[in-house]
Amino acid sequence: MKVVRTIAECRAARREFSALGFVPTMGAFHEGHLSLMRAAKAACGSCAVSLFVNPLQFAPTDDLAKYPRQHEQDFAMAESVGVDLMFVPDPTELTQNIQTTVAVSGVSALYEGERRPGHFEGVATIVAKLFGIVQPDIAFFGLKDLQQCAVIRRMVSDLNMPLSLRFEETVREPSGLAMSSRNQYFSPAQKVEASELYRVLVQTADTLAKGVSHSNSNVNPVLKAATGTLKDLGFGVEYLDAVDPNTMLPITHIDEDSRLVVAAKFHTVRLIDNIPVFKNS
Ligand code: PAF
């Protein structure tokens, strides 16, 4: 695995590959990242990964400095799944003094966009820059960040960027808890309790899917009951909704693309998760 740190080095290294899959990351790898890297390698034969804790997507109140950084461990994990190129840009070169940003309106408006102003503009800007530098054929993203996937899909389409996108389902702990770098803030017992979030999501999706098959697809009472259950279990629910994953707008009637999205605080950790309402969609 070649590790490069400057834009010029990355561009030169990219020329050594024909088809290239790309996984942009902020490091602190877990099985979710590794499964994206394996998918990129399998689809394209070569895989590039970027590791950059992007200051543009953190609000001044978010603790950018506290974001876990473990480069040596990350490099070893990436190497173990056959990553060919690791780009670890310098923040000074990549983000200082830029005067251009990419704002994807509409899909960024609600949910995470509403609660984290500027977040998706920071994500879209850095991802656009990384696409321009790495020039991948296919870029891979995890559906755990459903709204991020919608923002990037829209950006690539609106700006006619010459690459394909693949979105991969969330990788979960055996308990069902979605893999996340933030899970390391939980004690082992809290981690098990936190998996109740997934259990309630699955139960809610089942109820909604059954409702559709009985011609009753009105979602609101079901979502209200599920929010109550989560609150009783100690989750500080910020939102629980059924959405169209392309527009990231709430829906009142379920169809085969619909997904449930949730954000909730458990102890001090803010969790987000989402699942399809229908298991095979
Ligand atoms: O999902 C992430 O880790 C980040 O938002 C991304 C896509 C690497 C952009 O900084």
Side-chain angles (χ1 to χ4, degrees), residues 24-26 52 54 57 123 126-127 141 145 148 152:
T25 80
M26 298 206 299
F52 181 63
N54 172 24
Q57 70 190 75
V123 170
I126 212 68
V127 171
F141 293 87
D145 295 304
Q148 171 169 283
I152 289 161

Side-chain angles (χ1 to χ4, degrees), residues 148-164:
Q148 171 169 283
C149 292
V151 167
I152 289 161
R153 187 193 294 116
R154 191 72 206 208
M155 172 184 79
V156 166
S157 160
D158 286 354
L159 299 182
N160 310 99
M161 293 179 166
L163 76 159
S164 308

Side-chain angles (χ1 to χ4, degrees), residues 7-18:
I7 294 171
E9 274 179 307
C10 186
R11 286 195 193 283
R14 197 273 168 255
R15 283 185 220 114
E16 289 164 28
F17 306 103
S18 46

Side-chain angles (χ1 to χ4, degrees), residues 1-254:
M1 183 178 81
K2 186 164 190 168
V3 179
V4 293
R5 296 178 192 273
T6 68
I7 294 171
E9 274 179 307
C10 186
R11 286 195 193 283
R14 197 273 168 255
R15 283 185 220 114
E16 289 164 28
F17 306 103
S18 46
L20 185 65
F22 177 44
V23 184
T25 80
M26 298 206 299
F29 295 160
H30 50 66
E31 191 48 42
H33 297 104
L34 299 187
S35 76
L36 293 175
M37 295 172 201
R38 284 191 203 99
K41 181 89 180 174
C44 299
S46 314
C47 171
V49 170
S50 62
L51 195 172
F52 181 63
V53 182
N54 172 24
L56 305 178
Q57 70 190 75
F58 286 83
T61 46
D62 289 346
D63 212 336
L64 171 65
K66 260 207 207 136
Y67 197 86
R69 285 168 175 84
Q70 45 185 55
H71 287 189
E72 290 313 314
Q73 190 181 320
D74 285 347
F75 292 169
M77 289 168 86
E79 185 131 43
S80 77
V81 293
V83 169
D84 300 275
L85 179 62
M86 174 69 67
F87 179 35
V88 192
D90 180 327
T92 314
E93 189 185 24
L94 200 62
T95 53
Q96 221 175 48
N97 292 327
I98 61 165
Q99 297 189 1
T100 306
T101 61
V102 180
V104 186
S105 56
V107 288
S108 299
L110 301 178
Y111 308 112
E112 292 306 297
E114 195 175 353
R115 281 153 188 89
R116 304 180 66 187
H119 171 70
F120 286 124
E121 193 168 335
V123 170
T125 302
I126 212 68
V127 171
K129 283 173 70 73
L130 291 168
F131 285 173
I133 297 163
V134 177
Q135 301 197 7
D137 297 279
I138 313 179
F140 293 75
F141 293 87
L143 280 168
K144 157 110 182 348
D145 295 304
L146 185 73
Q147 195 168 10
Q148 171 169 283
C149 292
V151 167
I152 289 161
R153 187 193 294 116
R154 191 72 206 208
M155 172 184 79
V156 166
S157 160
D158 286 354
L159 299 182
N160 310 99
M161 293 179 166
L163 76 159
S164 308
L165 297 171
R166 296 266 178 86
F167 303 109
E168 303 280 327
E169 262 311 335
T170 304
V171 178
R172 297 180 182 280
E173 307 268 359
S175 67
L177 180 66
M179 295 249 180
S180 163
S181 320
R182 294 179 179 192
N183 293 350
Q184 57 186 266
Y185 300 126
F186 287 130
S187 70
Q190 286 171 341
K191 228 167 151 177
V192 174
E193 287 163 25
S195 69
E196 288 290 297
L197 185 68
Y198 177 65
R199 193 185 58 76
V200 173
L201 273 186
V202 170
Q203 217 171 50
T204 309
D206 278 354
T207 309
L208 289 171
K210 278 191 194 115
V212 174
S213 60
H214 293 94
S215 306
N216 173 16
S217 59
N218 189 0
V219 299
N220 286 333
V222 179
L223 294 177
K224 226 172 148 185
T227 304
T229 307
L230 285 173
K231 284 186 176 156
D232 292 344
L233 288 165
F235 290 89
V237 181
E238 291 183 15
Y239 58 79
L240 170 64
D241 220 345
V243 302
D244 173 331
N246 289 309
T247 62
M248 288 308 293
L249 293 174
I251 48 169
T252 48
H253 290 85
I254 298 295

